[in-house]
Amino acid sequence: MALDPAFDVLDRRFYRYIIHNAHIDHLWTGGRWTEGPVYVPAGRYLLFSDIPNDRTLRYDELSGQTSVFEQPALNQNGHCLDRQGRVVSCEHRGRAVSRIGHDGSREVLADAFDGKRLNSPNDAVAKSDGSIWFTDPTYGIDSDYEGDQAVSELGGQSNVYRIDPDDGSITAVVTDMVRPNGLAFSPDESVLYVADTGISHVGKACPPVIRAYPLAPGGRSVSADSTVFATCDNGAFDGFRVGADGTVWASAADGVHCLVPSAQDEGGSTLVGKILLPEVVANVEFGGLKRNRLYICATTSLFAVYLNTRAA
Ligand code: MG
């Protein structure tokens, strides 16, 4: 049986993650820019954003149907689950990070820093201590396409923020990026990975990298000594997820890139393979009951593929 040609093997280590007779599922199409997938295990569905159409969609894993979950949706972008399984949303138009309570109500977790409105929260990740970490570039206020055009009150977008689980306070944990975008922790939460998509506005002055920030003792901030984890060879990394063994599955212009971390003292990673797709990929998420199905938001479409790995 031939391997699906979508699997582009660059290093033999990629074989351990792919299933020889699995194929790419094209689950849905009709979006303008799909993003921000989050799998909700209790309901066996995937929520994802269609940002320019200002709607959040819901793919039902059992029926295979995709329907509108919320519209208007404050131009939501990234999503994640908090430690209690509640959906956390990054809202471009709301210029906030919010959470849907178990009763369905919207609660704002963050909408300002230093007394100034956030730009347009882009992506978020939950840490095991209950904190939520998020990025805040200006994509959602640069034009009216993905939010409401506005001038940045913060006057910058270099920061990654942390919302404290106890008192709700917001601190800037990373301050040295151009346009921080997707983010995730390594499985043991010793490293924070953040993609920089500054290339979209400053070009080659900002290479399309994922940076690795070692967490500081206590895990509430990061060390300033970040390193380049990977540089994208096709487009730029946007959203990504980390597999159980630490492998990073990152969005790129030509599909999903599989990045195996190097030994800790070396830093960096090896691009061992790609899942090639016909549309630009913005973000991915592990789903399915065994979390071994990678959902892929790619411009107008939602794809999925079963892998021989699972969510961290
Ligand atoms: Mg993003």
Side-chain angles (χ1 to χ4, degrees), residues 35-36 77-78 122-123 135 139 181-182 197 238-239 282-283:
E35 246 284 12
N77 186 339
N122 188 293
D123 216 342
T135 57
Y139 293 107
N181 201 317
T197 52
D238 187 343
N283 214 332

Side-chain angles (χ1 to χ4, degrees), residues 6 37 57 66 92 166 173 212 230-231 246 260 267 284-285 292 296 300 303 312:
L57 297 159
T66 298
H92 279 184
D166 298 322
V173 286
T231 303
V260 173
V284 301
E285 164 77 333
N292 60 344
I296 303 164
T300 67
F303 294 94

Side-chain angles (χ1 to χ4, degrees), residues 33 35-36 51 77-78 90 92 120-125 133-140 146 157-161 174 177-184 192-201 209-211 236-241 251 281-283:
W33 184 253
E35 246 284 12
I51 307 174
N77 186 339
C90 293
H92 279 184
S120 49
N122 188 293
D123 216 342
V125 63
W133 300 45
F134 68 96
T135 57
D136 183 43
T138 60
Y139 293 107
E146 293 196 350
Q157 50 186 307
S158 307
N159 297 350
V160 178
Y161 298 101
V174 171
M177 299 189 77
V178 180
R179 285 191 172 221
N181 201 317
L183 74 174
L192 172 71
Y193 297 113
V194 192
D196 199 327
T197 52
I199 194 172
S200 67
H201 284 69
V209 296
I210 292 174
R211 300 199 72 82
F237 299 125
D238 187 343
F240 56 92
R241 293 290 188 271
S251 61
V281 175
N283 214 332

